[in-house]
């Protein structure tokens, strides 16, 4: 994208909102060059524009930690195989450049990136991964391409089994600024079985918040690790509430229960959930949990990585018994990491128990919340035609769901690096008789291999979850890991869709300031510096008028 175009786009009101989110500065960079060919005509989003045949030579993408084939674990081979497969499909080579940002502050870094136009390899991004909340923030700025026509005409349409995922993301004019290759997934509450056994409890008996809280107190006070000293906590999370990313409450659902601290629809009417009594009650429960010491104090500032690592650490004297995190694949990932840390090895794959939603969650929502799906977006260069953008869609998103070679790369990673169909035998933890496990596969049998960066663990997936994808693989490649299957089954049986994300001009302009205010007040109330009632009153004093304007716009749509 040319600097003069970027400068024009960033002269809009979105600059203030993006700058407020930024927290990291990417490296100094230069800009890419691309070429175009003969002109034709097409129609996009109801407007006729000149379109040229575009020779896409380089594809610059920005991703977060959901692409697990990192630089240290086979990303080079993934890139090479993607380039070969896509060249075969398109008839010309495309150089894939992956810029992988830190997962814990991805939204803030992206805001900086889109404000400055800089990314690590020296190119403005062609496509990025965004959460549903980020999409809502950026889709009215002019930075993103409307891919509605490209999506409608995609080859993979004939194989889509979950069409509503993307149809529901269209705005009222039918524009589609993000593409979701999977449904969203959500979080479930995991409990260490050894800790339940130590305090004489069973997960099936934890049915209400009082039951849940009694379990947290037992974990905190009754020496569940058996070392004869204090230091354990009931629960840890990646923040009390992630107020910048829907569904906001999913890391501590039992405490938030029926609260939803953002704008959402209730009985067909948009409301500001942060001002509701349910949020006051949730803040009071969280404050009590901190005061009683059942919530690990690191929760206040913990990112996802820190929270995960504390939970499965082999230093159980400063660990926790409960951790709410993503369903499905993460049941295997957390269990494997506990195995690596030599935590509860005698329990094998039964180390963790999944807690059914407590009654208070069922009464309000019906179950754990299935978040709106993360999306891929394509940047719009505003040059008057969609040649470049359509070429990006064809190379990246059309092939991502081809059902075969490219989709397999996105799902499992690189062939003979992350997975294989060749006869193979290998052993993990060969030097530890208690943890040693042998694997044997016949020629032609699909299987996952040892992780490139850890020969003592087996690879899980790359970016797409084969269970969540909207258009399944057609080559029969299926990972039959029993824990992954059990995790996905448990979640689908105990989840409901989260409220739809709100979107209007005033919300977009004030999103960052609202999140900062609510997060500050939430932390102050939970720390006991102010009461929950005072927190909501302060929010109303500072943002009441803006919140009402947002509600008026939403309810007028």
């Amino acid at each position: 994208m040319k600097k003069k175009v970027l400068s024009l786009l960033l002269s809009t009101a979105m600059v203030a909102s993006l700058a407020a989110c930024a927290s990291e500065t990417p490296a100094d960079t230069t800009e890419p060059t691309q070429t175009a060919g003969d002109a034709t005509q097409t129609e996009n989003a109801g407007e006729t524009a000149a379109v040229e045949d575009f020779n896409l030579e380089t594809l610059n993408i920005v991703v977060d930690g959901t692409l697990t084939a990192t630089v240290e674990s086979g990303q080079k081979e993934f890139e090479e195989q993607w380039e070969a497969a896509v060249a075969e499909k398109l008839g010309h080579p495309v150089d894939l450049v992956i810029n992988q940002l830190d997962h814990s502050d991805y939204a803030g870094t992206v805001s900086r990136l889109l404000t400055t136009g800089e990314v690590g390899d020296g190119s403005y991004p062609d496509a990025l991964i965004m959460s549903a909340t980020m999409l809502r923030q950026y889709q009215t700025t002019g930075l993103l391409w409307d891919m509605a026509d490209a999506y409608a005409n995609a080859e993979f349409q004939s194989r889509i089994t979950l069409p509503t995922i993307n149809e529901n993301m269209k705005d009222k004019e039918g524009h589609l600024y993000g593409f979701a290759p999977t449904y969203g997934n959500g979080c479930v509450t995991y409990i260490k079985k050894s800790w339940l056994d130590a305090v004489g409890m069973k997960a099936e008996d934890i049915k209400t918040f009082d039951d849940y809280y009694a379990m947290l107190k037992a974990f905190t006070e009754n020496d569940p690790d058996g070392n004869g000293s204090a230091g354990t906590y009931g629960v840890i999370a990646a923040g009390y509430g992630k107020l910048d990313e829907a569904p906001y409450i999913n890391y501590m659902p039992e405490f938030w229960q029926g609260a939803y601290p953002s704008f959402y629809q209730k009985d067909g009417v948009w409301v500001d959930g942060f001002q509701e009594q349910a949020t006051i009650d949730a803040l009071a429960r969280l404050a009590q949990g901190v005061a009683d010491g059942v919530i690990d104090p690191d929760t206040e500032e913990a990112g996802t990585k820190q929270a995960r690592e504390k939970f499965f650490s082999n230093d159980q004297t400063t660990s926790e018994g409960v951790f709410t995190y993503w369903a499905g694949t993460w049941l295997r990932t957390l269990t494997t990491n506990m195995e690596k840390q030599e935590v509860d090895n005698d329990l094998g794959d039964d180390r963790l128990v999944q807690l059914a939603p407590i009654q208070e969650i069922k009464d309000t929502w019906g179950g754990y919340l299935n978040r709106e799906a993360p999306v891929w977006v394509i940047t719009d260069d505003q040059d008057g035609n969609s040649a470049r953008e359509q070429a990006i869609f064809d190379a990246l998103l059309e092939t991502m769901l081809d059902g075969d070679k490219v989709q397999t790369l996105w799902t499992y990673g690189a062939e003979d690096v992350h997975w294989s169909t060749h006869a193979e035998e290998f052993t993990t933890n060969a030097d530890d008789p208690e943890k040693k496990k042998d694997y044997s596969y016949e020629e032609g049998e699909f299987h996952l291999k040892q992780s490139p960066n850890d020969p003592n663990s087996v690879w899980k997936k790359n970016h797409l979850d084969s269970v969540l994808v909207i258009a399944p693989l057609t080559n029969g490649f299926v990972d039959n890991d029993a824990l992954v299957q059990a995790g996905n089954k448990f979640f689908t049986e105990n989840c409901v869709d989260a409220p739809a994300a709100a979107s209007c001009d005033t919300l977009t302009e004030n999103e960052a300031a609202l999140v900062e205010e609510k997060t500050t007040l939430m932390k102050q109330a939970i720390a006991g510096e102010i009461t929950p009632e005072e927190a909501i009153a302060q929010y109303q004093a500072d943002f009441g008028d803006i919140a009402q304007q947002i509600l008026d716009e939403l309810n007028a749509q």
Side-chain angles (χ1 to χ4, degrees):
M1 180 179 288
K2 305 304 184 203
K3 285 186 177 178
K4 63 180 181 181
V5 176
L6 181 62
S7 298
L8 177 63
L9 293 174
L10 293 176
S11 65
T12 66
M14 54 80 69
V15 172
S17 118
L18 296 186
C21 291
S23 62
E24 292 187 21
T25 304
D28 291 337
T29 60
T30 57
E31 298 200 2
T33 58
Q34 294 173 315
T35 59
D38 298 330
T40 58
Q41 294 289 322
T42 192
E43 187 171 310
N44 183 57
E47 297 181 6
T48 301
V51 175
E52 301 171 344
D53 292 332
F54 192 88
N55 179 23
L56 183 69
E57 298 176 349
T58 301
L59 177 61
N60 294 283
I61 65 173
V62 172
V63 301
D64 58 7
T66 59
L67 182 73
T68 57
T70 62
V71 172
E72 297 80 17
S73 58
Q75 190 171 102
K76 179 177 180 291
E77 291 83 356
F78 166 74
E79 285 186 17
E80 291 173 347
Q81 293 186 25
W82 182 93
E83 289 170 355
V86 169
E88 182 179 342
K89 284 185 173 294
L90 301 182
H92 64 84
V94 178
D95 178 26
L96 178 64
V97 179
I98 299 174
N99 298 280
Q100 191 155 24
L101 306 182
D102 181 67
H103 189 76
S104 61
D105 189 38
Y106 183 73
T109 309
V110 164
S111 73
R112 179 73 172 188
L113 161 62
L114 293 180
T115 302
T116 62
E118 298 173 348
V119 69
D121 82 301
S123 304
Y124 191 81
D126 294 310
L128 308 87
I129 294 174
M130 285 188 175
S131 67
T133 303
M134 293 171 69
L135 176 64
R136 182 185 68 228
Q137 180 181 1
Y138 291 107
Q139 68 181 1
T140 59
T141 64
L143 289 172
L144 307 183
W145 181 57
D146 174 16
M147 62 180 76
D149 286 349
Y151 170 74
N153 295 313
E155 183 277 333
F156 57 66
Q157 283 289 346
S158 63
R159 294 182 292 102
I160 287 182
T161 57
L162 297 170
T164 60
I165 301 298
N166 285 283
E167 291 298 329
N168 290 343
M169 289 197 302
K170 292 180 178 178
D171 64 18
K172 60 183 180 181
E173 286 85 24
H175 302 302
L176 181 66
Y177 294 101
F179 169 70
T182 66
Y183 76 79
N185 201 11
C187 293
V188 300
T189 295
Y190 299 105
I191 310 174
K192 290 173 180 170
K193 187 178 185 303
S194 65
W195 287 34
L196 283 169
D197 293 343
V199 298
M201 292 184 171
K202 295 181 179 179
E204 54 266 33
D205 296 330
I206 311 300
K207 298 179 179 179
T208 67
F209 181 74
D210 286 345
D211 297 335
Y212 174 81
Y213 202 79
M215 175 183 66
L216 298 187
K217 292 201 74 174
F219 286 170
T220 303
E221 299 170 357
N222 295 352
D223 189 25
D225 60 329
N227 73 344
S229 65
T232 56
Y233 298 99
V235 62
I236 191 169
Y240 299 127
K242 196 166 178 56
L243 303 187
D244 63 341
E245 183 178 319
Y248 312 108
I249 63 174
N250 58 338
Y251 288 154
M252 300 200 81
E254 290 81 12
F255 283 90
W256 285 97
Q257 296 179 12
Y260 201 75
S262 186
F263 299 94
Y264 73 105
Q265 277 188 308
K266 179 188 290 186
D267 300 324
V269 178
W270 287 95
V271 297
D272 183 358
F274 195 76
Q275 298 188 53
E276 293 185 311
Q277 182 64 42
T279 294
I280 293 176
D281 295 341
L283 295 177
R285 282 188 291 271
L286 286 161
Q288 188 64 54
V290 170
D292 288 346
V294 302
I295 300 175
D296 188 323
D298 285 340
T299 294
E300 180 176 1
E301 301 295 339
T304 53
K305 184 174 185 292
Q306 181 187 2
R308 292 194 307 264
E309 291 180 350
K310 285 206 70 178
F311 179 68
F312 57 64
S313 169
N314 58 14
D315 183 6
Q316 294 290 282
T317 59
T318 59
S319 187
E320 310 79 17
V322 177
F323 181 50
T324 302
Y325 209 59
W326 300 106
T329 303
W330 276 99
L331 176 56
R332 163 56 67 194
T333 303
L334 293 172
T335 300
T336 297
N337 276 288
M338 291 177 71
E339 180 182 0
K340 291 178 185 176
Q341 295 289 317
E342 300 185 349
V343 176
D344 299 337
N345 280 356
D346 57 315
L347 295 176
D349 281 352
D350 295 325
R351 290 172 171 87
L352 296 177
V353 178
Q354 298 177 99
L355 179 68
I358 60 173
Q359 191 62 48
E360 290 85 350
I361 293 176
K362 291 180 181 178
D363 289 344
T364 304
W365 305 113
Y368 290 119
L369 296 182
N370 174 44
R371 66 171 175 171
E372 292 183 287
V375 301
W376 281 91
V377 302
I378 295 173
T379 57
D380 192 329
D381 60 12
Q382 300 289 305
D383 67 352
N385 70 64
S386 296
R388 165 187 164 273
E389 293 82 0
Q390 182 67 55
I392 294 168
F393 184 95
D394 292 344
L396 179 65
L397 303 184
E398 178 76 86
T399 65
M400 187 179 289
L401 294 185
D402 70 347
D404 195 12
K405 287 184 179 180
V406 184
Q407 187 168 340
T408 300
L409 287 166
W410 286 108
T411 304
Y412 296 117
E415 184 174 6
D416 294 327
V417 176
H418 301 108
W419 61 273
S420 181
T421 57
H422 296 304
E424 181 177 16
E425 294 182 355
F426 61 83
T427 300
T428 57
N429 299 295
D431 297 330
D432 188 336
E434 294 184 0
K435 298 164 62 177
K436 178 181 177 182
K437 188 172 182 179
D438 296 321
Y439 298 82
S440 178
Y441 302 97
E442 297 180 358
E443 184 69 23
E445 183 180 3
F446 172 82
H447 61 275
L448 299 176
K449 294 172 64 66
Q450 291 164 287
S451 296
N453 61 339
D454 183 6
N456 287 323
S457 67
V458 177
W459 187 254
K460 301 169 188 67
K461 72 179 183 70
N462 187 16
H463 173 59
L464 302 179
D465 191 317
S466 61
V467 179
L468 309 180
V469 73
I470 65 171
L473 283 164
T474 58
N475 56 16
F477 292 174
V478 178
D479 172 25
N480 291 314
D481 185 290
L483 273 188
V484 174
Q485 299 301 321
N488 281 316
K489 183 175 185 293
F490 181 87
F491 180 70
T492 55
E493 291 175 349
N494 290 281
C495 78
V496 295
D497 287 342
S503 178
C504 67
D505 290 343
T506 302
L507 177 56
T508 298
E509 294 166 5
N510 292 277
E511 180 86 13
L514 285 164
V515 168
E516 182 179 9
E517 171 92 347
K518 289 189 291 187
T519 301
T520 298
L521 293 172
M522 174 185 70
K523 290 181 178 180
Q524 289 176 342
I526 294 172
E529 298 170 6
I530 58 176
T531 67
E533 290 80 4
E534 289 170 340
I536 304 309
Q538 186 63 53
Y539 170 79
Q540 292 169 336
D542 294 341
F543 284 95
D545 291 344
I546 292 175
Q548 188 57 54
Q549 184 177 344
I550 291 169
L551 292 174
D552 291 343
E553 290 181 21
L554 291 172
N555 285 309
Q557 292 176 352

